[in-house]
Amino acid sequence: MKVLLDLQYLNVATTGIKTYMLELAKAARKYPHPDIEWIFSHEPEKQAVDDSFKGTKSKIQKLNYHLDYFRWKEFQLPDLVKKFKPDVLICPDFVSPAASLPCRRLTVIHDAFFWQMPENYPRWWRKYFLNLIKKGLWEDTQIITTTEYSKNSLIEHLGNSWPISVVYQAPKGLTAAADTQCLRKLGLKKQEYFLHIGTFDRRKLLPLLVEAFAAFQNHSQSNKKLVLAGGPGQSKRMDDFPVVQKLVAELGLQDQILVPGYLSDGEIKSLYDGAFAYVFPSLNEGFGIPILESMGFGIPVIHSDQPALMEVAGGAGLPFQTGNRDDLTEKLILLDREKDLRSQLVTLGRERAKAFSAEKFIEAFHRIILNPTS
């Protein structure tokens, strides 16, 4: 059984989808199946560092990227199918070619954000991208998604025309050595900061976290800090980075809330190693990788009661009502005060993280590849 994995999108992918694609490729190599031959469209690590289209600013640059992506999906990828004659094509970035193909398709649609939150995307771009998605959903296609929540959301917006399977992904394998100077450079002490890692997309509700943290400090007189690591949102329409910066300044919390930007894997590993807790206030997620990364590091997690995060956490996190600043503040205070609760969450989290290994991730794909009805 020959399987072609489309890795073109790694040249611009960020955060969740990038992790998904890289970990899938790594797992395919680390845990080979005797009946499956994997073919990669690109060498994953090399494609991930290709910066030809990263950081595009001008309309011309963005147009060139979209043309390049369209050429790949509609012409170059079908040519690879003709060349390698795979039995299965996996497209892990929402879009499969509109061309007729002589093989099964497994198309990964990570979430239903394009349908659920249209206000977060430029109208013309959303219409164009949804058209690409729908044109690729035909012939012998099976949709793969990340959680039962995402599956139900996709059924609501796409109907039952295509079989949809849930495959739980593996968190990022942080193999780099921890940067031992990271905490010192940021002025942090172990167990003395709350952590969030990711883009400043509007749906992450990071201004809410800033406000809740300010209220937490007022109530508890704690010396703990808040670290918001990561870069701006993926578009001006979706970006809360300037909002957070302004809010931090207005609250006079520049010394207590750190916004260090993008960090290396070694620096991220160091932050996970030393954090008191991870806070994930998101309004909407398809999965929630940082929950598993945190639990794997033995860090308790406070998360919104958004369905996908509840599903991934599996009762091993401390939930608060989505969008409720006062409830989030109460959970920050509770975790800071109750040492036994923190210890309990650490134990539960470590056990929960074991259910999301790279081996289980690829085994789920193996079952679907070898048994189309699974």
Side-chain angles (χ1 to χ4, degrees):
M1 181 78 72
K2 291 166 63 173
V3 178
L4 174 60
L5 178 60
D6 174 13
L7 296 173
Q8 164 75 6
Y9 187 67
L10 274 175
N11 65 347
V12 293
T14 59
T15 60
I17 296 181
K18 179 180 180 180
T19 297
Y20 191 103
M21 295 173 74
L22 285 174
E23 295 307 314
L24 178 59
K26 289 177 185 177
R29 283 178 166 165
K30 186 174 182 179
Y31 302 103
H33 191 287
D35 297 325
I36 297 175
E37 176 190 350
W38 287 88
I39 303 165
F40 294 168
S41 66
H42 300 74
E43 186 59 33
E45 297 295 340
K46 183 178 179 180
Q47 184 69 359
V49 298
D50 179 359
D51 59 1
S52 301
F53 294 103
K54 286 187 173 74
T56 54
K57 300 295 183 183
S58 71
K59 290 183 179 179
I60 295 297
Q61 288 174 317
K62 291 178 180 179
L63 177 61
N64 284 338
Y65 165 69
H66 288 304
L67 290 173
D68 182 77
Y69 184 79
F70 183 82
R71 280 194 300 270
W72 170 258
K73 285 292 183 180
E74 306 307 337
F75 298 100
Q76 293 168 287
L77 184 54
D79 282 345
L80 278 188
V81 171
K82 292 178 183 177
K83 177 181 178 181
F84 291 110
K85 297 179 172 57
D87 301 284
V88 179
L89 169 67
I90 300 178
C91 293
D93 59 339
F94 290 82
V95 177
S96 175
S100 181
L101 300 175
C103 62
R104 287 172 54 213
R105 309 168 189 233
L106 300 181
T107 301
V108 183
I109 302 182
H110 299 256
D111 50 60
F113 294 167
F114 297 115
W115 296 274
Q116 293 171 324
M117 299 182 292
E119 69 279 3
N120 285 355
Y121 306 95
R123 183 181 302 176
W124 70 268
W125 184 88
R126 175 178 173 270
K127 183 176 181 180
Y128 164 74
F129 199 70
L130 286 179
N131 189 52
L132 284 182
I133 292 173
K134 291 178 179 178
K135 284 187 178 298
L137 295 176
W138 72 302
E139 297 183 325
D140 190 358
T141 293
Q142 185 171 354
I143 296 172
I144 308 295
T145 195
T146 53
T147 55
E148 292 294 337
Y149 164 72
S150 289
K151 176 179 178 178
N152 293 333
S153 300
L154 290 173
I155 290 172
E156 179 182 348
H157 293 283
L158 291 174
N160 286 304
S161 300
W162 303 274
I164 303 178
S165 296
V166 173
V167 173
Y168 286 140
Q169 66 192 88
K172 185 176 183 179
L174 291 171
T175 56
D179 183 340
T180 56
Q181 300 302 311
C182 177
L183 298 191
R184 183 187 61 79
K185 288 185 290 187
L186 293 174
L188 296 169
K189 297 179 180 178
K190 283 193 172 184
Q191 304 296 305
E192 288 297 322
Y193 59 92
F194 294 97
L195 177 64
H196 180 277
I197 298 173
T199 61
F200 283 68
D201 281 354
R202 191 148 296 156
R203 63 183 173 83
K204 301 289 186 179
L205 297 186
L206 294 181
L208 179 89
L209 175 54
V210 169
E211 292 174 348
F213 177 76
F216 158 77
Q217 283 206 322
N218 290 335
H219 282 85
S220 67
Q221 302 302 312
S222 170
N223 291 322
K224 287 184 173 62
K225 296 184 178 183
L226 172 64
V227 180
L228 304 176
Q234 296 183 14
S235 71
K236 287 184 179 180
R237 187 186 296 259
M238 298 166 62
D239 185 20
D240 262 348
F241 188 77
V243 176
V244 168
Q245 287 183 309
K246 181 180 179 182
L247 183 58
V248 170
E250 289 174 348
L251 293 169
L253 293 175
Q254 295 93 328
D255 293 333
Q256 288 76 40
I257 299 179
L258 308 182
V259 186
Y262 285 115
L263 299 173
S264 68
D265 282 358
E267 290 169 323
I268 290 172
K269 193 170 186 177
S270 180
L271 284 176
Y272 272 130
D273 277 338
F276 175 77
Y278 192 94
V279 189
F280 205 158
S282 190
L283 175 67
N284 199 2
E285 292 289 335
F287 189 74
I289 290 173
I291 285 184
L292 300 178
E293 291 178 344
S294 301
M295 290 178 174
F297 275 92
I299 305 169
V301 178
I302 299 173
H303 60 86
S304 65
D305 62 1
Q306 189 268 343
L309 299 186
M310 294 291 287
E311 183 178 340
V312 171
L318 183 61
F320 72 95
Q321 184 181 14
T322 303
N324 188 324
R325 187 198 69 181
D326 293 340
D327 193 24
L328 175 53
T329 300
E330 289 180 10
K331 296 305 188 296
L332 294 172
I333 294 171
L334 179 64
L335 193 62
D336 184 51
R337 185 179 63 216
E338 301 290 342
K339 292 183 179 179
D340 288 346
L341 172 62
R342 187 178 185 279
S343 296
Q344 180 185 8
L345 290 174
V346 168
T347 300
L348 291 172
R350 286 191 185 278
E351 192 61 31
R352 180 61 176 166
K354 294 177 183 178
F356 297 84
S357 68
E359 188 171 10
K360 291 180 179 179
F361 183 30
I362 197 64
E363 284 176 351
F365 266 96
H366 288 164
R367 286 193 296 271
I368 293 170
I369 290 166
L370 297 172
N371 182 12
T373 61
S374 63

